[in-house]
Amino acid sequence: MIRRVESEIKILGINFFMIMVSFAIALIVLSTIAGELLNFYPVSFEVIFPFFVSMVVGEWGRTRADSNFDIIAAQSKSLFCWVLGRYILIFGVSSVFAFFCMVFSSVFRYELPIWEVFIIYFPPTFFLSSLCMLLGIHCTGEHVATLACGIVWLIVLLMRGLLRISGTEYIYLFIRYAGNQNPVWLWNKCIITAAGLFIWGIVYLKCTLRGFPCFFGSH
């Protein structure tokens, strides 16, 4: 297990960590200079950070676009575990940086408790990055999954006006950014998280049933 993590970290390379550190520093600096009119936490951790993490997952969490995919598929006992493991590593490291940003940002400005900020952050980030991994097992192009996920992010952001329709507040991805302080936002986050888990159910089925056998080395 330790060797697997070390191997994946080497694959990520120093650029991954340099970009994460740079982005975290930029966000912390923004928290110090942002005016009082900016609803900082929803903008940063519900909108910007999810897009950034999904981009990171798309660029460094490549599966079909990985040049070594055929070799990995042939040698791996469980392709799904490989896909999930790579996702967990990248998502986990990104979330650690996000948490540090939450902590340091709260030093300069305090709008919400940390636990609430994390709840705001996790569901949309989990959903978009999971969608990026699902697209990644279909697309052999290096940047296709990232581009598609970015388009989804932009479309959802521009569809804020649909919140006028009753019921859409339960599924809108950026509910707190849209200014909804109603307790329904907690149900919204639960539904989005469940949608992310559903996506991983599809990923599992794709890895086991449709051309991506899960146990290559079992026979």
Side-chain angles (χ1 to χ4, degrees):
M1 182 63 181
I2 295 177
R3 286 185 178 181
R4 169 70 188 279
V5 172
E6 290 177 349
S7 175
E8 290 294 334
I9 289 176
K10 288 181 181 179
I11 292 173
L12 292 179
I14 190 64
N15 289 340
F16 170 81
F17 294 97
M18 289 178 63
I19 291 174
M20 291 301 304
V21 170
S22 300
F23 182 79
I25 292 174
L27 205 62
I28 292 171
V29 171
L30 178 63
S31 70
T32 65
I33 63 178
E36 294 297 327
L37 295 178
L38 176 63
N39 201 3
F40 178 76
Y41 286 107
V43 171
S44 299
F45 296 107
E46 192 180 40
V47 178
I48 297 177
F49 230 115
F51 172 71
F52 177 74
V53 174
S54 62
M55 180 182 70
V56 167
V57 168
E59 294 301 306
W60 277 276
R62 296 189 298 270
T63 49
R64 286 296 298 276
D66 194 316
S67 58
N68 297 316
F69 174 79
D70 292 332
I71 299 174
I72 294 170
Q75 297 180 351
S76 177
K77 292 182 178 180
S78 173
L79 185 59
F80 174 74
C81 290
W82 171 68
V83 172
L84 181 62
R86 176 166 286 190
Y87 171 80
I88 289 175
L89 178 63
I90 298 173
F91 183 82
V93 172
S94 302
S95 294
V96 168
F97 278 99
F99 183 76
F100 278 122
C101 286
M102 295 175 196
V103 173
F104 282 102
S105 296
S106 66
V107 174
F108 301 104
R109 59 190 299 150
Y110 185 84
E111 296 176 3
L112 298 170
I114 297 297
W115 65 266
E116 187 171 338
V117 180
F118 189 81
I119 293 176
I120 290 174
Y121 157 83
F122 180 82
T125 309
F126 177 60
F127 176 82
L128 287 173
S129 57
S130 298
L131 179 62
C132 211
M133 289 302 288
L134 175 61
L135 294 171
I137 67 174
H138 287 283
C139 307
T140 56
E142 290 191 2
H143 310 294
V144 176
T146 305
L147 177 61
C149 198
I151 292 174
V152 170
W153 175 84
L154 182 60
I155 290 174
V156 173
L157 196 61
L158 295 175
M159 293 175 64
R160 181 177 173 179
L162 291 179
L163 286 171
R164 298 173 182 175
I165 302 174
S166 178
T168 54
E169 67 272 14
Y170 287 95
I171 59 174
Y172 185 69
L173 206 57
F174 311 122
I175 190 68
R176 290 297 294 269
Y177 167 75
N180 194 318
Q181 301 293 331
N182 192 294
V184 75
W185 75 268
L186 287 172
W187 285 106
N188 170 281
K189 297 303 179 186
C190 291
I191 292 171
I192 291 173
T193 302
L197 292 173
F198 178 76
I199 289 175
W200 275 102
I202 298 175
V203 172
Y204 176 78
L205 292 176
K206 289 291 184 181
C207 288
T208 56
L209 300 179
R210 300 187 63 182
F212 301 102
C214 190
F215 297 100
F216 280 93
S218 61
H219 300 292

